[in-house]
């Protein structure tokens, strides 16, 4: 059976040595984040994840969520674990104090999210989606929803979902057919089918609040072929009395089936049928749009899309965290196995002369796979925590320039975190399974589950190719390219400020080379994409990957500087800091050089990709 040890010490290093959150009392929620406070939160969360959630991961996968006689049941032990999760307040870490939450900032809540997903991704998705749903509802819902619905979701009495995808419509939302028809009382009757709905139904709570996007038909009952009439709706599984908050009759929402999936089998991923379900529109009511003077259709989108996109961006950050989590737990088990499994002898001579063979940790290629996994996990963890801090700065910093920079970094990094982290998380899980050899391919050790579970992270909340397009087509070009230029300048400033540090110089030289490759690719895009948009599409995935490599390199350079300072001062555990330095060297020596080939690939253009007729594939 696999094991999991939450990385409390690593989070403490990132929080208090690297980011120094104890000095950020200028930001809301940071006032009490002393080292004692954060360690207590992390150790309490670690204990719950290790002792309650992780033991249910493999059994939950084997049993799976079940749909029988119209009822969805979660695997054995999940309901009790969910009740304990809520009773302990883990679902309310980020909820405002007015809701009975702790009001902690994203940098802490995302840390706990990583631990939960590493221990049991299928379980962690239920409260994770609920948090995203009630946050969107709190931002866009009517007063009665904020009074009666949001608190119950925040406390875990009810859960929430996000309903976007339809059988014929995934990323291209304008193809959506689900419609919502306004009624005389201001509610809507919503009809259509949504698929791939995580937590779509289950037996853990009395109610599930669905956050649904749908089109409002015109006076003739027709649906627009664009996004102009798309709106965001709250659709409860069981009706809620707006006056009292009491539950009433079952709404017109039913489960068609549970998806038969490759992984995350304990997560009830449902097909949901909406049959004139009572729905409540969120946000300001859309105003009728008249045609432009030339007779063309207006291009403005409905205000309801803002709430949906806000929820999706939070979910994409959460999925990126899942990439870190699955990479970490797989790596941990791979490292344990490599130290126990005996096979062959070290190339430099026997390391276990009294045994029949040496442990496989002596072999360079095994170490390559483990170091690649661990350097990704710890580098991406640092980046995710930094971006989480940026989210708070963007919202609450008193300095206008700091808010602008933080907003730019949050927007720029979200598709990178979702896309690159989940690619590398799957790669880490796959390599860790490889360490086990044939034993990784069978269920006993649990490694094949990690690979199956990791695979979905590259697909949902916008497939990674879509993330790459979002990065090059929107995030890098917004406001005249302000965000990437600010990031490039930020990295260059660090390099220039530390050139005199002999310990850092080899790392900085590698980072400088990678940054130069990335800037070259960005310039190539700026020169070529406006002439032919296919060029942006052809280069997008390579550019996203380059961004991921360089941003993690930037994190490793900063962590190496911090670790070396701790060693020089004789503080803390020297082995912890020495390991950081080795991992930083590995990233710069083994991962950063890949930017050179990616630069060449990104500039190869779209011609060959687009040359064949569709029938020739």
């Amino acid at each position: 059976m696999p094991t999991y040890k939450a990385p409390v010490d690593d989070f403490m290093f990132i929080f208090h040595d690297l980011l120094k959150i104890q000095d950020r009392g200028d930001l809301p929620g940071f006032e009490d984040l002393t080292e004692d406070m954060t360690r207590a939160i992390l150790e309490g969360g670690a204990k719950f994840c290790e002792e309650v959630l992780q033991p249910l991961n493999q059994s939950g996968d084997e049993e799976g969520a079940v749909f029988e006689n119209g009822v969805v049941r979660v695997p054995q032990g999940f309901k009790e674990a969910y009740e304990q999760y809520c009773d302990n307040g883990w679902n309310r870490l980020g909820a405002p104090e007015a809701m009975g939450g702790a009001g902690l900032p994203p940098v802490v809540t995302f840390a706990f999210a990583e631990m939960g997903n590493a221990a049991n991704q299928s379980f962690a998705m239920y409260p994770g989606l609920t948090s995203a749903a009630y946050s969107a509802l709190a931002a866009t819902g009517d007063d009665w929803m904020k009074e009666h619905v949001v608190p119950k979701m925040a406390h875990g009495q009810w859960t929430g979902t996000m309903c976007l995808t339809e059988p014929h419509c995934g990323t291209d939302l304008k193809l959506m057919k689900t419609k919502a028809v306004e009624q005389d009382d201001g509610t809507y009757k919503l009809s259509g089918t949504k698929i791939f709905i995580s937590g779509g139904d289950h037996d853990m709570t009395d109610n599930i609040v669905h956050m649904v996007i749908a089109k409002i038909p015109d006076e003739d009952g027709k649906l627009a072929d664009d996004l102009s009439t798309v709106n965001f709706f709250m659709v409860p599984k069981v009706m809620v009395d707006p006056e009292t908050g009491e539950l009433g009759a079952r709404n017109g929402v039913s489960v068609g089936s549970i998806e038969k999936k490759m992984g995350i089998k304990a997560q009830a991923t449902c097909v949901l049928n909406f049959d004139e379900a009572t729905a409540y529109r969120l946000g300001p009511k859309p105003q009728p749009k008249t045609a432009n003077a030339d007779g063309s259709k207006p291009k403005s989108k409905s205000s309801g899309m803002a709430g949906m996109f806000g929820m999706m961006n939070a979910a994409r950050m959460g999925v990126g965290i899942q990439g870190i989590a699955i990479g970490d737990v797989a790596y941990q088990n791979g490292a344990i196995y490599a130290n126990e499994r005996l096979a062959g002898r070290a190339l430099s001579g026997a390391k276990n002369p009294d045994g029949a063979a040496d442990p496989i940790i002596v072999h360079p290629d095994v170490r390559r796979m483990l170091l690649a996994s661990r350097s990704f996990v710890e580098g991406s963890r640092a980046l995710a925590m930094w971006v989480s801090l940026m989210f708070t700065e963007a919202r609450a910093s008193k300095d206008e320039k700091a808010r602008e920079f933080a907003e730019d970094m949050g927007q720029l990094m979200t598709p990178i975190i979702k896309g690159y982290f989940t690619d590398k998380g799957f790669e880490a899980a796959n390599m860790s399974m490889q360490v086990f050899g044939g034993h990784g391919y069978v269920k006993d050790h649990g490694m094949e589950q990690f690979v199956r579970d990791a695979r979905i992270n590259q697909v949902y909340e916008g497939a990674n190719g879509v993330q790459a397009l979002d990065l090059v087509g929107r995030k890098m070009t917004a406001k005249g390219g302000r965000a990437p230029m600010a990031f490039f300048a930020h990295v260059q400033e660090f390099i220039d400020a530390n050139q005199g540090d002999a310990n850092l110089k080899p790392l900085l030289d590698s980072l400088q080379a990678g940054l130069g490759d990335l800037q070259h690719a960005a310039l190539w895009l700026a020169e070529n994409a406006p002439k032919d948009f296919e060029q942006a599409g052809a280069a997008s995935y390579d550019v996203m990957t380059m961004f991921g490599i360089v941003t993690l390199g930037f994190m490793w350079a900063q962590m190496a500087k911090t670790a070396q300072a701790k060693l020089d001062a004789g503080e803390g555990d020297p082995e912890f800091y020495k390991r950081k330095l080795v991992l930083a060297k590995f990233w710069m020596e083994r991962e950063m050089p890949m930017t050179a080939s990616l630069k060449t690939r990104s500039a190869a253009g779209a011609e060959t990709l687009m040359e064949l007729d569709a029938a020739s594939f």
Side-chain angles (χ1 to χ4, degrees):
M1 183 176 182
T3 63
Y4 173 63
K5 180 69 176 175
V8 172
D9 289 340
D10 201 39
F11 278 121
M12 291 295 291
F13 170 76
I14 295 169
F15 283 175
H16 297 289
D17 295 330
L18 183 67
L19 301 180
K20 298 187 182 299
I21 65 172
Q22 69 274 14
D23 299 332
R24 298 308 310 269
D26 58 309
L27 298 175
F30 284 77
E31 301 88 346
D32 299 321
L33 292 184
T34 63
E35 292 190 45
D36 288 343
M37 172 65 78
T38 51
R39 181 169 286 279
I41 295 169
L42 290 169
E43 288 182 346
K47 181 179 175 66
F48 183 84
C49 293
E50 293 165 1
E51 298 180 3
V52 179
L53 298 187
Q54 193 277 331
L56 295 173
N57 193 39
Q58 199 168 21
S59 62
D61 177 70
E62 292 172 356
E63 182 180 349
V66 178
F67 179 48
E68 291 179 338
N69 300 319
V71 177
V72 177
R73 291 185 288 101
V74 294
Q76 202 168 22
F78 269 52
K79 184 173 183 178
E80 293 77 12
Y82 179 77
E83 291 173 354
Q84 187 178 346
Y85 182 93
C86 298
D87 288 344
N88 291 349
W90 298 119
N91 61 326
R92 300 190 298 281
L93 289 178
E97 294 181 9
M99 295 181 191
L104 293 173
V107 71
V108 177
T109 59
F110 276 125
F112 180 75
E114 186 201 312
M115 294 191 293
N117 278 286
N120 192 326
Q121 180 171 326
S122 289
F123 178 94
M125 290 172 66
Y126 291 104
L129 281 163
T130 300
S131 176
Y134 78 66
S135 296
L137 194 57
T140 60
D142 293 339
D143 289 343
W144 73 267
M145 300 174 192
K146 298 174 185 178
E147 179 182 359
H148 296 307
V149 180
V150 172
K152 286 186 172 64
M153 296 175 72
H155 280 261
Q157 294 167 268
W158 299 346
T159 58
T161 73
M162 179 167 61
C163 301
L164 280 69
T165 305
E166 299 180 13
H168 55 282
C169 165
T171 301
D172 193 351
L173 297 177
K174 62 181 180 292
L175 300 179
M176 196 168 29
K177 295 179 181 177
T178 298
K179 65 179 181 179
V181 180
E182 187 171 9
Q183 306 299 296
D184 292 339
D185 62 359
T187 65
Y188 289 74
K189 291 297 183 185
L190 190 143
S191 300
T193 297
K194 298 289 185 178
I195 63 171
F196 306 157
I197 308 306
S198 301
D201 202 56
H202 53 75
D203 58 346
M204 295 192 296
T205 59
D206 294 331
N207 203 4
I208 301 172
V209 179
H210 304 294
M211 308 294 284
V212 187
I213 58 171
K215 289 182 177 179
I216 298 175
D218 62 19
E219 294 178 354
D220 297 326
K222 296 180 180 179
L223 299 178
D225 58 3
D226 57 24
L227 298 176
S228 63
T229 62
V230 173
N231 273 253
F232 201 31
F233 297 88
M234 181 195 81
V235 186
K237 171 184 173 180
V238 181
M239 294 298 296
V240 181
D241 188 319
E243 298 294 330
T244 66
E246 296 295 319
L247 292 179
R250 178 72 182 259
N251 202 0
V253 186
S254 62
V255 178
S257 65
I258 291 181
E259 307 285 6
K260 296 176 176 62
K261 308 188 299 295
M262 176 180 178
I264 55 168
K265 294 186 176 182
Q267 170 56 227
T269 308
C270 298
V271 174
L272 291 182
N273 296 317
F274 296 86
D275 184 13
E276 294 198 336
T278 299
Y280 302 89
R281 181 186 39 76
L282 302 171
K285 186 174 183 178
Q287 299 300 313
K289 295 182 176 66
T290 57
N292 296 324
D294 61 0
S296 63
K297 294 181 180 179
K299 294 183 180 297
S300 59
K301 298 177 183 178
S302 75
S303 59
M305 294 294 286
M308 183 272 290
F309 280 125
M311 188 174 177
M312 284 181 65
N313 281 336
R316 285 170 178 167
M317 180 72 177
V319 174
I321 297 291
Q322 289 177 336
I324 305 172
I326 206 77
D328 189 25
V329 67
Y331 158 79
Q332 288 186 27
N333 285 274
I336 292 170
Y337 187 80
N339 278 283
E340 295 174 348
R341 175 71 170 177
L342 303 180
R345 290 294 188 188
L347 299 175
S348 57
K351 305 301 182 187
N352 179 34
D354 296 331
D358 288 334
I360 62 174
I361 193 69
V362 304
H363 302 306
D365 196 58
V366 171
R367 287 173 168 253
R368 173 190 63 82
M369 292 186 287
L370 293 174
L371 284 169
S373 299
R374 185 159 189 171
S375 60
F376 155 69
V377 165
E378 294 190 12
S380 59
R381 179 179 293 136
L383 179 61
M385 294 303 99
W386 178 64
V387 173
S388 299
L389 178 60
M390 291 295 100
F391 289 162
T392 302
E393 285 212 29
R395 187 183 73 252
S397 176
K398 297 175 182 177
D399 183 273
E400 183 178 351
K401 284 291 184 183
R403 286 199 309 274
E404 179 183 288
F405 177 77
E407 172 67 22
D408 286 346
M409 292 305 99
Q411 290 292 322
L412 180 68
M413 294 297 162
T414 294
I416 298 166
I417 287 174
K418 195 285 173 186
Y420 182 70
F421 282 19
T422 58
D423 279 350
K424 293 292 284 187
F426 176 77
E427 186 180 313
N430 203 32
M431 286 191 294
S432 297
M433 182 181 126
Q434 183 75 11
V435 170
F436 280 73
H439 292 285
Y441 196 66
V442 297
K443 285 183 173 290
D444 302 55
H445 293 281
M447 300 303 291
E448 57 85 35
Q449 182 190 345
F450 295 142
V451 173
R452 288 187 289 105
D453 287 353
R455 192 60 185 84
I456 185 58
N457 299 332
Q458 297 168 280
V459 175
Y460 60 12
E461 299 306 337
N464 287 355
V466 175
Q467 301 303 317
L469 279 174
D470 181 46
L471 174 66
V472 303
R474 293 193 181 98
K475 302 303 191 293
M476 289 178 65
T477 59
K479 300 174 183 176
R482 189 178 76 186
M485 287 190 290
F487 174 71
F488 297 155
H490 187 57
V491 178
Q492 191 64 58
E493 182 181 353
F494 176 84
I495 294 172
D496 293 343
N498 291 280
Q499 277 292 349
D501 189 328
N503 290 318
L504 277 182
K505 191 172 189 315
L507 306 182
L508 295 178
D509 289 347
S510 180
L511 179 59
Q512 184 74 75
L515 178 63
D517 290 337
L518 178 57
Q519 288 173 310
H520 183 279
L523 180 61
W524 186 91
L525 273 176
E527 292 175 347
N528 290 276
K531 305 171 191 173
D532 180 0
F533 292 160
E534 300 284 16
Q535 304 287 9
S540 60
Y541 212 94
D542 292 325
V543 171
M544 181 183 74
T545 304
M546 292 175 72
F547 248 113
I549 293 170
V550 173
T551 51
L552 263 64
F554 179 44
M555 290 296 113
W556 273 120
Q558 294 176 83
M559 286 192 285
K561 178 181 179 180
T562 303
Q564 187 64 58
K566 288 291 183 180
L567 282 171
D568 293 344
E571 298 176 1
D573 177 9
E575 292 305 312
F576 178 91
Y577 300 120
K578 289 176 183 177
R579 186 166 57 244
K580 286 288 183 189
L581 295 175
V582 172
L583 290 170
K585 284 174 58 182
F586 179 90
W587 192 265
M588 298 304 193
E589 291 176 0
R590 294 278 179 152
E591 298 290 332
M592 192 64 75
M594 295 180 185
T595 61
S597 62
L598 289 164
K599 177 185 73 173
T600 301
R601 282 173 38 163
S602 66
E607 183 179 353
T608 302
L609 294 181
M610 308 308 295
E611 187 172 356
L612 291 179
D613 292 334
S616 297
F617 280 86

